[in-house]
Amino acid sequence: MTVDPGNGARVSSLLIGGTELLRQGPRYGCFPMVPFCGRIALGRFRNGETQHQMPLNSPPHAIHGTGRDTAWRVRHSDEASATLTYELGDPWPYAGLVTQTFRLTADSLELTLGVETASDSFPAQVGWHPWFRRNLGGEDASLAFAPEFQLERGDDHLPTGRRIDPLPGPWDDCFGMPDGVDATLTWPGQLALTVTSPARWVVVYDEQPEAVCVEAQSGPPNGLNIEPELVTRIQPLELAATWSWQRL
């Protein structure tokens, strides 16, 4: 595993048996989504009576937080683990500390993300956006998961507020998994990789031919507005996820 602190503390490479699992390039790999996941409608969110405007980096919306565009600081690193941090600041309107940890074993990668506030409470989300290669040199990967529902997506790519029965792909959609995320990508005859997390939400994006994204996250798209979760001095926001794999 290779982590790039200067490019959003993303996992830029994950080799299993010499095979690269992640789409390569400075925008890809697997990046942390923090302090929000997916799109914020028109880049605006409220904290109580105060409205904030984020940069529209996916016009007309803001998308995927600020952590992926930030240089992180390495606090610890050895052959099998690492801890990186960055301090929240402009354009995010609140002070705080984000911590991401990695623990690599022979058959798994354990990830954690945490957000602490340095002053006022604020809404936040965390998650990961991996770009898994659709094809590793054989058949394309297939995805198996059993969500309880899908959030209906409007023409603006934001949830309409309706929960619907899961539809067939291709997807750029958010699914509810109240008992936790459990999704398996299988490359026939090669590898099976399972993403698990206590998170109740997973976004699947497979509209590009090169990759399949399985994004465990603490809240849905536009969640700062429709399902805010507050980070306070006594209650940080924390999330874990595990990728486990086996050769076939």
Side-chain angles (χ1 to χ4, degrees):
M1 178 182 66
T2 303
V3 178
D4 188 346
N7 187 19
R10 73 186 63 217
V11 181
S12 59
S13 174
L14 180 64
L15 294 165
I16 298 176
T19 298
E20 178 61 64
L21 257 64
L22 298 173
R23 184 179 181 187
Q24 296 297 283
R27 296 176 54 242
Y28 300 112
C30 173
F31 61 80
M33 296 182 290
V34 60
F36 58 89
C37 303
R39 294 171 176 85
I40 300 177
L42 304 178
R44 299 171 188 157
F45 73 96
R46 286 189 175 276
N47 186 13
E49 296 301 313
T50 304
Q51 179 172 282
H52 299 288
Q53 177 70 57
M54 296 298 294
L56 303 181
N57 57 350
S58 182
H61 308 303
I63 196 170
H64 293 334
T66 60
R68 64 173 180 162
D69 302 316
T70 301
W72 295 50
R73 185 183 232 177
V74 178
R75 298 292 187 176
H76 161 81
S77 176
D78 60 32
E79 289 184 350
S81 63
T83 300
L84 292 86
T85 64
Y86 88 94
E87 294 183 0
L88 289 170
D90 188 57
W92 184 253
Y94 297 97
L97 181 70
V98 179
T99 302
Q100 183 174 203
T101 69
F102 306 87
R103 181 175 178 270
L104 185 66
T105 74
D107 58 7
S108 69
L109 172 59
E110 299 171 7
L111 304 156
T112 66
L113 263 174
V115 181
E116 306 168 60
T117 179
S119 55
D120 299 330
S121 60
F122 55 82
Q125 296 174 304
V126 294
W128 292 271
H129 194 305
W131 292 83
F132 295 113
R133 292 173 59 200
R134 187 186 298 270
N135 191 292
L136 301 182
E139 295 181 40
D140 283 356
S142 62
L143 176 63
F145 70 131
E148 185 172 300
F149 59 88
Q150 179 176 338
L151 295 183
E152 183 181 61
R153 176 166 52 94
D155 293 338
D156 59 0
H157 278 259
L158 297 173
T160 65
R162 291 186 61 226
R163 296 183 175 187
I164 60 175
D165 291 337
L167 300 173
W171 296 296
D172 182 10
D173 293 281
C174 184
F175 300 86
M177 303 189 78
D179 295 326
V181 172
D182 189 337
T184 298
L185 273 170
T186 301
W187 293 266
Q190 299 182 77
L191 189 77
L193 181 144
T194 300
V195 177
T196 55
S197 173
R200 297 181 294 114
W201 304 95
V202 62
V203 168
V204 178
Y205 176 66
D206 65 350
E207 292 184 343
Q208 296 186 19
E210 297 86 358
V212 179
C213 306
V214 182
E215 309 162 33
Q217 50 194 63
S218 65
N222 203 29
L224 296 191
N225 291 309
I226 64 177
E227 193 173 304
E229 184 172 358
L230 286 181
V231 177
T232 71
R233 283 184 175 273
I234 61 173
Q235 187 65 49
L237 174 59
E238 297 177 333
L239 187 64
T242 299
W243 303 353
S244 56
W245 52 81
Q246 59 178 347
R247 305 290 296 187
L248 300 178

